[in-house]
Amino acid sequence: MILENISSNKLFEGWHKQYTHPSSVLNCEMRFAIYLPPQANSDNPVPVMYWLSGLTCSDENFMQKAGAQRLAAELGIAIVAPDTSPRGEQVADDDKQAYDLGLGAGFYVNATQAPWNKHYQMYDYIVHELPNLIEANFPVNKQRVISGHSMGGHGALTIGLRNPSLYTSISAFSPICNPINCPWGQKAFTAYLGDDHEAWKAYDSCELLAPLSEHQPILIDQGSQDSFLQTQLKPENLSALVTNKTNYFQLNMREGYDHSYYFISSFIESHMRFHALNLGLLKK
C-alpha cells in the first residue's frame, strides 16, 4: 500500500508525521497522523494507542491540542490518530451539511444503507485496515490500546469491547455511551444502518457491555459542565451496568470541566499512564 508522507515534526525526541494513503475499505484517500516516540526502532517495536476523535474533527485535533506526545515519549507508546470519516468529492455527505452526519461524522460503524455504504466502513478501517498498515510500515508491535473523545469515545468503547483480543485497555473522554438512546446516535444510525434497531445494538457500548462477564480495564473521564452530558452522552447508563462486574471500570466525574480539549489536556496524562500500566510498561 502506498504511503505518502505530507508532514514531519520532531518533538520530545520523537516524530509526529502525517500520511495519506488509498483505502480499499473506504474507497477513497485517507489521512492519519502518527507519533513515534524516541524508543521506537526496528529492534524495539513499541505498542500503539489508537485515538479516535469526535464530530467535526480530523487527525489534527488531538495531536495539536491534547499534549499527549510528552507522555508518549516518556512511556514509549506510539499514537495513531485517524480521520473521523471518509473524505473526498465523491464521498456522500449530508444534504444540509449538518455537522453530525456525513463528512467528519463517520461514527465508527460499517454503513449498510445507500449512499453511505459505498465509503462509510469506518469500523473495518479502524479495526483491520489501518492497524495492518501501521504494523507493516512502522516500528510498532501488535499491542494495542484504544481511546477517544465524544463520538470517538463511543468508537473506542464499542471497538474495544467487540475486540477484547486486540485491545489491552480502553479509555474515553466524554463518550457517547448509549447512542441508541440519544439524538446524535439515533440520527446517525438511522442514516447509516437503517431502521433495524437490532443492528444498532452492535455499535452501542451499553448493549455490548451488559451481557459480558468480563472485559478489559476501562477508564472514562467526564466533565460535569459538559453541555452534552444529559442529552447525548449518558455515562450513567454505562456505569449502571458494571455494579456486579469484577473487572476494572472507572468513571471520573470532573467538576467544572466541559467538552473541550482544555478538559482532555488536563487529564490525558492519567489516561496515558493507565494504558502504560495495562501494557506492562509501568509497575503497579
Side-chain angles (χ1 to χ4, degrees):
M1 187 175 290
I2 300 171
L3 279 177
E4 181 181 357
N5 179 218
I6 58 173
S7 75
S8 297
N9 302 93
K10 188 173 184 179
L11 69 166
F12 299 109
E13 300 304 315
W15 286 92
H16 167 271
K17 298 184 178 184
Q18 284 179 304
Y19 290 88
T20 59
H21 71 97
S23 168
S24 60
V25 170
L26 303 179
N27 297 303
C28 65
E29 185 175 84
M30 288 295 286
R31 189 178 75 188
F32 68 86
I34 183 168
Y35 177 71
L36 290 169
Q39 299 91 330
N41 59 62
S42 59
D43 294 325
N44 183 48
V46 298
V48 181
M49 183 181 82
Y50 287 87
W51 173 269
L52 307 184
S53 290
L55 292 168
T56 75
C57 293
S58 70
D59 63 291
E60 294 184 334
N61 297 72
F62 179 78
M63 291 299 206
Q64 294 181 4
K65 296 179 179 180
Q69 292 93 338
R70 178 180 63 82
L71 276 303
E74 175 189 332
L75 299 168
I77 300 175
I79 302 172
V80 172
D83 204 345
T84 53
S85 79
R87 305 275 181 174
E89 293 182 2
Q90 78 280 19
V91 175
D93 194 13
D94 181 67
D95 291 339
K96 298 179 181 179
Q97 296 185 322
Y99 76 96
D100 55 357
L101 185 67
L103 299 184
F107 269 85
Y108 306 101
V109 305
N110 284 341
T112 59
Q113 306 300 301
W116 311 102
N117 56 347
K118 182 178 180 181
H119 298 285
Y120 285 74
Q121 304 295 312
M122 286 296 293
Y123 177 88
D124 280 351
Y125 178 70
I126 298 299
V127 176
H128 302 297
E129 187 177 34
L130 182 61
N132 289 341
L133 179 68
I134 298 299
E135 290 167 10
N137 289 278
F138 300 97
V140 302
N141 59 41
K142 293 185 179 296
Q143 289 183 289
R144 307 178 197 172
V145 297
I146 193 164
S147 187
H149 171 232
S150 194
M151 178 187 72
H154 140 75
L157 287 166
T158 56
I159 287 172
L161 289 170
R162 287 178 62 173
N163 299 277
S165 66
L166 297 180
Y167 302 95
T168 302
S169 51
I170 306 167
S171 76
F173 289 86
S174 315
I176 305 171
C177 292
N178 195 192
I180 65 175
N181 288 315
C182 79
W184 277 342
Q186 290 165 351
K187 179 178 180 178
F189 288 2
T190 299
Y192 297 145
L193 305 173
D195 294 327
D196 180 6
H197 287 206
E198 286 300 310
W200 294 14
K201 293 180 180 180
Y203 300 103
D204 186 292
S205 56
C206 288
E207 295 291 335
L208 294 170
L209 185 63
L212 295 181
S213 59
E214 58 183 28
H215 58 77
Q216 309 97 311
I218 298 173
L219 172 64
I220 297 173
D221 273 281
Q222 172 64 59
S224 68
Q225 297 303 306
D226 190 321
S227 60
F228 303 114
L229 176 57
Q230 300 301 323
T231 57
Q232 304 284 11
L233 306 181
K234 302 182 183 297
E236 68 281 0
N237 292 3
L238 191 64
S239 62
L241 298 171
V242 301
T243 304
N244 296 318
K245 298 184 188 295
T246 58
N247 303 93
Y248 182 90
F249 179 97
Q250 180 68 42
L251 170 62
N252 298 316
M253 291 299 297
R254 303 294 189 178
E255 183 63 32
Y257 286 90
D258 58 18
H259 199 71
S260 71
Y261 268 85
Y262 296 110
F263 169 48
I264 295 170
S265 63
S266 297
F267 297 101
I268 191 61
E269 179 171 357
S270 64
H271 283 239
M272 295 293 294
R273 295 193 182 281
F274 164 77
H275 288 303
L277 183 66
N278 286 290
L279 287 166
L281 301 176
L282 294 176
K283 295 181 180 180
K284 294 185 179 180

